[in-house]
Structures are given as C-alpha cells and as structure tokens.
Amino acid sequence: MSSGLNQPMLPPASLPGDPAGLARTVLELTRTLGFATAGIAAAAPSTEESRYRQWIAAGKHGEMDYLATQADARVDVSRELPGCRSVLLVAEQYAPRGSPPVPAPPGHGKVARYARGRDYHLTIKQRLHRLADTLRSRWPEHQFRSFADTAPILEREQAVRCGIGWIGKHTLVINPRLGSYFLLGGMLTTMDWQPTRPAAEQPDGLPPLITDSTDRCGSCTRCIDACPTGAITPYSVDARRCVSYLTIEHRSPTLPMPLPHDDRWIYGCDICQEVCPHNTARGWETPIGSDFATSRAAALASLDLAAIMAWDQPAKAAAVEGTPMRRTKLEQFQRNARMLQSRQSPPIPPSI
Ligand code: SF4
Ligand code: SF4
C-alpha cells in the first residue's frame, strides 16, 4: 500500500487494561496500513549485548562510529523511550521471493532492490506516525515513538523477539512466509500490549500474522559461499568487507578494498539474499509495497557508470530523487563508479 493511506480507524472496543485486545487492535491497524507482517514484544534489555559489543570491539562496524557511540542506547529501548513497556515491529516487503537477479548492462552498476523504491525511512515512518497519531488520540496519557532505521534500536533483535523471523547466517531477518526482502520499522510505547507468539500459541482472536523465530538455516552455507568478499562468518558480517557497507556507508574518498567486478554493484549488494533458499519462489508470494512496484523502481535496477561520472549535484539529485540513494553523496557515487570502471576502461578522472 502506498503511504497515501487514510488515517487508520480504531475499533471502539479497545480498552487499556486489556493487553490482548490492544495487541489485536494494533496488529489489525498495521495490516490496514499495508505492512506485510507485524509483531509485538515486551520491552526488555537486549540479550545480544555481549555479541554486539564484541562485534564493535573487533572493528567490524567500519566507519559507522555511531554504532559504537550509541551502543548503550541500542541495547536498552528504555533509553530511547523512558517507561517503554512494549515494542511493535513491522515489515515492509520490497521484493517478492523469487525476485530474479538482473544482470547489469555493460558499463552499468547494479542497485540493491530496497534502494530502487521510495525512501523507506520516510514512507514507513509516515505510516507509523499515522498509527501513533491514532493511538495518541485515544490514549493521550501514553507515549508512542516510531522508528524506521532512524533511532538507536537493535531492530533485528526486536524483530526476532516479536516473532517476525530469525536472524540468518548473513545477519538479516528471514520470515518463513516472506523470505528476507523486507525492511523493518517499529514503535515503542508506554502501553502494555500482549506480546505475539508463535501461531500455535497465539491467544484466540489474534490475527494469524505471526510465524516464529526458529532458526531454519541448518547446515546451509550458501550465503557464506556466495559472498564475493568473504564478509560473512556465521551470524556475523564484517562491514569493512561488505559491498553494501563499502558502497553506501563508507564515506571516505577511497575504499579499503576493491569492489568485485564479476557482479558489479554500485549501490548495495543483494547476493547473500539472492542465493538464500528461503527467498526462492513458492508460488504464493506476498504482494510487495506499492512504493517498490513502480516503473521507476524497475528502471533504477542499474545505473550508467559514465553518466554518474558526468553528474553534478543537480543531476545526481534528479537521478535518485525520492529514493534512499538521495542520502548518499555525489562523491561516493563517483568513487564507486570509478572503481567499477577501473578494470573496464582507463580510469576516468573525478571531474570531467
Ligand atoms: S551484501 Fe554482498 S558483500 Fe555484503 S555480506 Fe551480503 S553478499 Fe557479502
Ligand atoms: S543462505 Fe542459508 S545460511 Fe545463509 S541465511 Fe539463507 S538459509 Fe541461512
């Protein structure tokens, strides 16, 4: 559904002091807002703190210093919202299971699927704000804080706690029904909402949105084997070797390692998701969000490297307007393009 949805309506029967009824109401509202699935967990400190701090201590966060400086907040949601009692997580599907890899035409670089649609930071948050406004109008004494990759919260751990899925060996959340091509957002609240549970344990009346968080990776190592830079060890990714980090989050003028030329990614990388057996088509795929089902999103599957090298600021802004790519600097695009071109043709100077 697009972010142009109307304000969701609260059914009259929802009462504070009825956590199951409130959970049912909130989950139904997330469905009317077009999210593919949702879940609720009781607020609690992270159980992944030690693993997270070890990852930071090993320097695997690269130049993303905010992940280190915000570590205390990330492992405790009550730092973001004092008095937080419940956490809602929602999932927005940006590509269906079975979404085929599209080779980049000669002289082009590929764009990760999530980055081709409208900027999810905005579109998911707009819908969550609408949900928060609706809830606030009924319960003004409570607080509701929305996030979509915009607050210091360990969203993947929260998604597992909410029953949305498990964290695969490539460190992304996988849902047995959706696969892993989805984005996460959520809401913290001071209200008590009954946590969602595996479908079999779900109290009567709650919608069957929830699956479970059982790890179904088993002995599979496809993502580890396919990663072109060896960035993955089971359940850990070294950002400094990850093409997605290198092309998007690494801000320095030079990259610490070359970008792979066999599978040319100019923005992000989907390889570990493309090879995952949980992303193969089953014939009953969940519809993707309308912000991703556009002809423009299809056209943004790859970008012309020579055109990028000729961009000035207005040209870059026009080319990636409205997508998450607008957050990335022109210099980063041209650094990435230059590196991908370097083995295809003589290097092109930064300014033409
Ligand atoms: S996004 Fe690409 S580079 Fe990063 S871990 Fe996955 S396969 Fe490896
Ligand atoms: S490719 Fe295999 S190991 Fe990797 S996340 Fe998917 S199921 Fe797990």
Side-chain angles (χ1 to χ4, degrees), residues 95-120:
R97 279 188 320 204
S99 170
V102 180
H108 285 61
K110 297 203 286 190
V111 174
R113 289 165 177 75
Y114 83 88
R116 304 171 192 168
R118 293 185 63 208
D119 188 351
Y120 68 96

Side-chain angles (χ1 to χ4, degrees), residues 166-172 174 215-224 235 272 275-278:
W166 80 97
I167 295 179
K169 289 178 187 171
H170 53 16
T171 73
L172 300 170
I174 306 173
D215 187 334
R216 292 175 169 82
C217 281
S219 58
C220 175
T221 58
R222 285 195 207 178
C223 55
I224 298 169
Y235 306 104
C272 50
V275 301
C276 179
H278 297 283

Side-chain angles (χ1 to χ4, degrees), residues 170-172 223-224 226-232 236-239 241-246 260 265 268-273 275:
H170 53 16
T171 73
L172 300 170
C223 55
I224 298 169
C227 176
T229 55
I232 309 175
S236 181
V237 168
D238 187 339
R241 301 189 66 83
C242 174
V243 175
S244 190
Y245 161 80
L246 292 169
W265 294 90
C269 168
D270 283 337
I271 293 175
C272 50
Q273 298 195 84
V275 301

